[in-house]
Amino acid sequence: MELLKQKILDCGRALDEHVLLVDSFLNNQVDVKLMQEVGREFARRFADAGITRIVTIESSGIAPAAMAALEMDLPLVILKKSKSSILKEGILQTEVFSFTKNAPYQLTLKPQFVHPGDRVLLIDDFLANGEAALGASSLLERAGADKTFQPGLKKLQEAGYRVEILAPVKRMAENLIEFD
C-alpha cells in the first residue's frame, strides 16, 4: 500500500534495525484519514473471505482494525495485554513475549465476543517476531474461531495462516527504512 509506505517514510523513524517509531500517525497521534484508507484496503483484500469479526491487540492495532471493522460492517474485538481488576473470570489467556517492551505479558480474550465458527481477521500494527499474533491466534482457536489472520510472516504462514502485509519493511537501520 503505497500511501502507508509513503507515510512511514515521511513520518516514521527507524530507531535501529528493530524498532520503527510511528507515534506521529499511529501510536500517540492517529492519522484517521490514513487509517480509513488502511481499513478500506483490508476490506478490499478480505472482501470474499467470509470474515465475521475483526480482532486486534491493544493498543496500536486499534485504529486500523476499527477502520477495517467500520468498512466491513463487523464487530471489533480487542485483546487486552494489561492487567485489569475486572477481567478475572470467564477469560482465556496466554503468555506472550513483547518485542518492544522486552518482557512477557498475559494476552487476554473474553471468549463471549468470539463465537465458534467465526472467521476472524486479526489486524495488528507491525510484526517483529510474530509472538503477539501467534498468541492471539492461539486464544482465538481456543474460543472456536476459524483461521484467517493478519499479520505475521514466516511463523504464521508455516502455521497455516493467510498473511497480508500493507507495508513490508525489508530493512531498517537508524534513520533508514527500506520496503520490499
Side-chain angles (χ1 to χ4, degrees):
M1 182 177 174
E2 291 306 314
L3 183 63
L4 180 58
K5 289 179 185 178
Q6 194 58 54
K7 188 69 162 191
I8 291 169
L9 291 174
D10 292 346
C11 301
R13 189 168 59 117
L15 300 181
D16 57 31
E17 66 273 10
H18 302 291
V19 179
L20 178 59
L21 186 65
V22 292
D23 60 347
S24 67
F25 65 91
L26 184 61
N27 300 109
N28 296 89
Q29 174 175 273
V30 177
D31 181 335
V32 293
K33 289 192 183 288
L34 174 64
M35 292 302 112
Q36 185 176 36
E37 290 303 317
V38 166
R40 284 186 181 132
E41 182 63 14
F42 279 122
R44 184 188 68 75
R45 290 185 185 201
F46 288 91
D48 297 327
I51 303 299
T52 59
R53 208 161 295 277
I54 307 287
V55 174
T56 193
I57 301 169
E58 66 176 3
S59 64
S60 298
I62 293 174
M67 294 299 182
L70 186 65
E71 287 292 322
M72 298 173 82
D73 194 25
L74 294 171
L76 171 63
V77 177
I78 300 171
L79 303 179
K80 301 294 186 176
K81 59 182 175 181
S82 56
K83 293 189 186 241
S84 169
S85 61
I86 60 172
L87 286 180
K88 292 181 181 176
E89 295 177 15
I91 58 172
L92 296 175
Q93 289 187 307
T94 191
E95 186 170 285
V96 173
F97 187 81
S98 169
F99 178 79
T100 53
K101 293 186 178 22
N102 197 29
Y105 63 89
Q106 288 294 318
L107 189 60
T108 304
L109 167 67
K110 288 187 84 171
Q112 73 231 44
F113 300 120
V114 177
H115 307 114
D118 268 341
R119 292 198 39 91
V120 175
L121 172 59
L122 174 65
I123 296 176
D124 205 2
D125 57 350
F126 290 93
L127 173 70
N129 295 325
E131 298 299 319
L134 284 171
S137 66
S138 168
L139 290 177
L140 293 164
E141 286 180 15
R142 286 169 46 198
D146 288 342
K147 298 178 184 178
T148 303
F149 300 107
Q150 195 293 340
L153 202 50
K154 190 173 184 179
K155 288 181 187 177
L156 293 171
Q157 290 170 330
E158 288 173 355
Y161 298 104
R162 174 178 167 185
V163 178
E164 295 283 336
I165 299 173
L166 300 187
V169 176
K170 177 176 151 182
R171 184 168 72 98
M172 289 190 315
E174 187 174 344
N175 297 315
L176 170 75
I177 303 166
E178 291 179 359
F179 296 101
D180 276 341

